[in-house]
Amino acid sequence: MFRKREIASSHWKRTATWDEAVYEFKGARIVTKERAATLMKRFNEKLENLKKMRKILILSLLFSQTIDSAARPEKYHPQQLISQYPYALLTDDYGVLTEDDLKTNSCDATPSPFSEKDTSSPYPYWQCFDLRTANLACEGRKYDFSEKVRVTLLVISGIRDGVLHEYLARRPMPLSSCRLYQKAWRKFVENEKYLCISGEISSIKTDSNGRRRWVWVFDRYKTKKGCDSYFEGECDLKKIIANGQCEN
């Protein structure tokens, strides 16, 4: 096409336009005006079709890139987190957790690799569950005569790879307090798919049928809608740092 433009420029004694180069390319200069008009009309129609196809192709590529970028965080997010805090996350986080969530665990204890044989480590670990297997319950209704209230035990449970994991509060609490945890739970899990829970391993128990049950000390839990914790303020790293409980 560049050569045809040079030929057209030589003929017209000036720099030819690209339309004139096409005119030369189609041989329109050596046929009748009617034939030349027909040739150029066909060329322009095909050119318009190519432009439309180009637009469709660009839109398709942009759409596929948008879908890919939307899918990537869930797939690659754990790798980004693990590179900064290699011990804090035991499972995929499904895009729920942030760097601050994992850093907060380092405020509680010195990071250490997880081991089933070490149930005395104070370092809390995150693991995430399908919310269809998870539940928050207030177990028991015992009356505490010293506190003069009915107390219960907060238990958050989830099943991962067919194994039950239970996160227990550090001590019984007033039933009214546990009800507040349930209220927040309903708010945070509504229409969500995944839940992540942080806690220290307490024990791994096996029943008479060989089924294992992992028991953890409840620290905090989080969905994409929000976070709740056993100790007030532990979902906010900035507040923890401001209170001098963690280094910046």
Side-chain angles (χ1 to χ4, degrees):
M1 190 60 71
F2 285 95
R3 177 58 181 159
K4 292 297 181 180
R5 192 183 187 192
E6 289 178 358
I7 294 173
S9 298
S10 176
H11 174 76
W12 298 109
K13 306 300 183 183
R14 58 175 171 77
T15 301
T17 65
W18 283 111
D19 283 345
E20 290 170 335
V22 172
Y23 195 86
E24 183 69 31
F25 172 73
K26 300 299 292 184
R29 190 166 53 83
I30 58 176
V31 296
T32 63
K33 290 184 178 181
E34 291 78 10
R35 178 60 178 167
T38 300
L39 290 173
M40 293 303 295
K41 181 182 179 182
R42 289 177 182 175
F43 174 80
N44 288 326
E45 287 175 350
K46 290 182 179 180
L47 181 62
E48 286 301 314
N49 287 334
L50 286 173
K51 288 180 179 179
K52 290 178 181 178
M53 290 177 65
R54 181 174 179 270
K55 289 181 180 179
I56 292 172
L57 179 60
I58 291 173
L59 289 173
S60 297
L61 288 171
L62 289 174
F63 180 74
S64 64
Q65 289 174 355
T66 301
I67 294 297
D68 183 57
S69 63
R72 270 176 175 259
E74 285 197 354
K75 184 176 181 181
Y76 293 95
H77 195 240
Q79 306 307 321
Q80 297 168 0
L81 294 177
I82 289 171
S83 66
Q84 295 294 322
Y85 303 95
Y87 305 133
L89 180 60
L90 302 181
T91 67
D92 192 328
D93 81 317
Y94 305 103
V96 172
L97 301 176
T98 66
E99 184 177 325
D100 281 1
D101 296 320
L102 272 64
K103 179 178 174 62
T104 301
N105 288 31
S106 301
C107 300
D108 296 332
T110 302
S112 59
F114 176 76
S115 172
E116 292 186 23
K117 297 179 180 180
D118 183 9
T119 56
S120 62
S121 172
Y123 183 64
Y125 301 91
W126 282 99
Q127 56 179 342
C128 305
F129 303 86
D130 187 317
L131 262 169
R132 291 174 296 182
T133 75
N135 184 50
L136 184 152
C138 302
E139 296 190 357
R141 302 288 189 276
K142 185 177 179 180
Y143 187 79
D144 188 319
F145 288 95
S146 62
E147 297 292 334
K148 297 181 180 181
V149 294
R150 195 170 295 279
V151 296
T152 187
L153 185 64
L154 172 70
V155 180
I156 300 178
S157 60
I159 297 175
R160 184 168 63 84
D161 298 330
V163 178
L164 176 64
H165 295 258
E166 290 184 327
Y167 290 79
L168 311 183
R170 286 167 168 76
R171 59 184 63 86
M173 65 179 64
L175 181 59
S176 58
S177 297
C178 195
R179 295 299 190 201
L180 292 176
Y181 275 103
Q182 287 183 319
K183 182 178 180 180
W185 171 273
R186 288 190 292 269
K187 174 185 176 181
F188 292 146
V189 305
E190 184 179 12
N191 298 324
E192 292 296 309
K193 292 183 178 180
Y194 301 104
L195 164 82
C196 297
I197 314 175
S198 172
E200 306 98 72
I201 184 67
S202 175
S203 63
I204 302 174
K205 301 180 179 180
T206 305
D207 64 18
S208 57
N209 296 318
R211 291 190 294 262
R212 305 177 82 197
R213 178 168 65 95
W214 294 49
V215 181
W216 304 77
V217 178
F218 170 59
D219 180 21
R220 62 197 189 279
Y221 74 83
K222 185 181 181 184
T223 70
K224 289 184 177 181
K225 283 188 177 177
C227 173
D228 203 0
S229 59
Y230 182 80
F231 292 112
E232 185 179 357
E234 287 221 335
C235 288
D236 189 341
L237 179 60
K238 291 181 180 178
K239 184 180 293 186
I240 294 173
I241 293 174
N243 291 336
Q245 296 171 294
C246 190
E247 294 182 1
N248 195 348

